[in-house]
Amino acid sequence: MPHPESNRIKALYQSLPNLFFIGVMALLSVVVHPGFLFLLVAGELSVLMLAQTPFVQRLLRSRAERQQKREQETTENQILAGLPATYKTDFLALRQLCCEIENRAGELQKDQTSGPSLEGTIEKLSSFRLEYIRMLRGHYLLANRNYAEIHDRLNKERERLEKAARNEQSKQVRSTLDQHIQILHQRTTKVGQLKELVRLIEARMRVVSDSLQLIQDEVYSMTDVRGISGVVDDLLVKLEINDEFRTYYDDMLMEGSPALAGLDSEIEVSVGAAPNPKQSQRIPQ
């Protein structure tokens, strides 16, 4: 990941006034005199020196934070638009608490002449909110499926094919049936992974919910930015999903995911595979 400082300098070089200056100097060097190239180089060096001044750094940092906040809110709102009201209420309460944490950290930083930067805390809060709303979306997409019914149907189909393969005289047909059986084994495994993934998401969200209530009670009693940063780090850890589930989890949350479409087709052909009413509800808070 590029360093924030290099991103701010890059933004200064890519600003409209600087690009206009480059264009004018390049044009003058071609039309009037090549000596304008020296002015161009001198100007760009001046931009680099200007970027090191505290005032410009604060200005660039503030602009980068506003841009990051706009992009973050856009992403969050896009995901939020596809969620039911109960999930929206859950996330909006979280967003409000994150704003309170950010405001408190800003107040503390004004009172402290040294210490960790607020920028890192803001980035962590953004990561936390994005991961949390993705987890809400994951729960919404996955928790209303009857995995036991799908698993049972796949097992019955696999047993039927195994019996047919034992009685099959043709070697080629038996080989094809064996390939089908292996595919069913893989599908059964993935259904089991999804069932465990839903349980993991629910457990993570319960832990985070309890932690947020505790933080809400204590946020204004915190006395330094480092303490707030540690609290946000802890929240990010509680949302982590191990590598065993992460790849499949990310695949399922992709727009138009073929894995999710395949799961939906399992439900469509499954006789009597009605969603479990208890699973289709939001997890208890």
Side-chain angles (χ1 to χ4, degrees):
M1 179 180 292
H3 193 276
E5 191 68 29
S6 64
N7 284 340
R8 288 193 287 268
I9 294 175
K10 181 180 178 181
L12 190 60
Y13 272 111
Q14 292 178 343
S15 63
L16 286 177
N18 187 60
L19 293 176
F20 178 77
F21 171 75
I22 293 174
V24 170
M25 289 297 104
L27 179 64
L28 290 175
S29 67
V30 173
V31 176
V32 181
H33 192 278
F36 281 99
L37 287 175
F38 293 101
L39 289 177
L40 174 60
V41 173
E44 294 306 290
L45 289 174
S46 299
V47 171
L48 182 60
M49 295 176 63
L50 189 64
Q52 309 304 318
T53 61
F55 172 76
V56 174
Q57 286 185 345
R58 286 195 299 271
L59 186 65
L60 293 174
R61 186 181 300 114
S62 176
R63 187 172 70 174
E65 289 175 357
R66 289 195 300 270
Q67 177 66 20
Q68 179 185 353
K69 190 171 183 178
R70 285 195 296 268
E71 292 175 355
Q72 179 80 21
E73 289 180 352
T74 299
T75 302
E76 291 172 359
N77 291 334
Q78 287 174 346
I79 299 175
L80 202 62
L83 296 179
T86 50
Y87 290 84
K88 290 179 180 178
T89 301
D90 191 351
F91 180 73
L92 291 176
L94 170 75
R95 180 186 280 177
Q96 178 60 36
L97 178 57
C98 287
C99 288
E100 292 179 11
I101 294 173
E102 184 177 326
N103 292 337
R104 178 56 177 163
E107 293 172 1
L108 292 174
Q109 191 169 54
K110 289 179 181 178
D111 298 336
Q112 297 173 3
T113 57
S114 61
S117 169
L118 178 59
E119 181 181 17
T121 302
I122 293 175
E123 290 179 355
K124 291 172 184 176
L125 282 171
S126 297
S127 298
F128 171 68
R129 287 200 310 270
L130 183 59
E131 187 65 24
Y132 189 80
I133 197 171
R134 289 181 76 244
M135 196 163 281
L136 285 176
R137 182 170 179 264
H139 186 270
Y140 169 63
L141 291 175
L142 302 176
N144 62 343
R145 288 159 168 85
N146 192 332
Y147 294 105
E149 171 64 27
I150 297 173
H151 191 276
D152 184 57
R153 192 185 67 81
L154 289 173
N155 277 336
K156 287 180 179 179
E157 178 66 10
R158 179 175 53 80
E159 290 172 0
R160 185 187 69 79
L161 290 175
E162 288 174 347
K163 182 178 180 181
R166 288 194 297 269
N167 297 329
E168 180 58 52
Q169 301 298 319
S170 170
K171 183 176 181 180
Q172 290 183 339
V173 173
R174 189 165 57 250
S175 176
T176 302
L177 290 174
D178 288 340
Q179 292 174 3
H180 195 176
I181 291 169
Q182 290 302 316
I183 292 173
L184 288 176
H185 269 299
Q186 295 173 3
R187 289 165 64 187
T188 303
T189 300
K190 292 199 173 190
V191 168
Q193 288 176 334
L194 275 178
K195 182 179 179 180
E196 290 302 309
L197 178 59
V198 170
R199 295 179 60 210
L200 177 60
I201 289 175
E202 292 178 349
R204 295 288 192 197
M205 290 170 65
R206 287 191 187 97
V207 171
V208 170
S209 177
D210 291 340
S211 298
L212 288 175
Q213 292 178 15
L214 179 62
I215 293 169
Q216 193 166 22
D217 295 337
E218 297 182 350
V219 63
Y220 286 101
S221 65
M222 296 179 182
T223 57
D224 63 75
V225 178
R226 187 177 288 105
I228 291 179
S229 180
V231 164
V232 178
D233 284 339
D234 186 52
L235 285 174
L236 283 169
V237 169
K238 288 173 180 174
L239 276 182
E240 282 183 356
I241 293 179
N242 58 31
D243 293 339
E244 180 182 357
F245 290 107
R246 170 60 64 182
T247 301
Y248 203 52
Y249 170 73
D250 290 339
D251 183 34
M252 280 292 177
L253 296 192
M254 287 173 55
E255 292 292 341
S257 166
L260 194 59
L263 182 63
D264 288 334
S265 68
E266 293 287 358
I267 297 174
E268 290 173 4
V269 300
S270 181
V271 179
N276 187 336
K278 293 183 179 179
Q279 285 185 320
S280 61
Q281 298 293 325
R282 268 292 280 118
I283 62 170
Q285 299 296 320

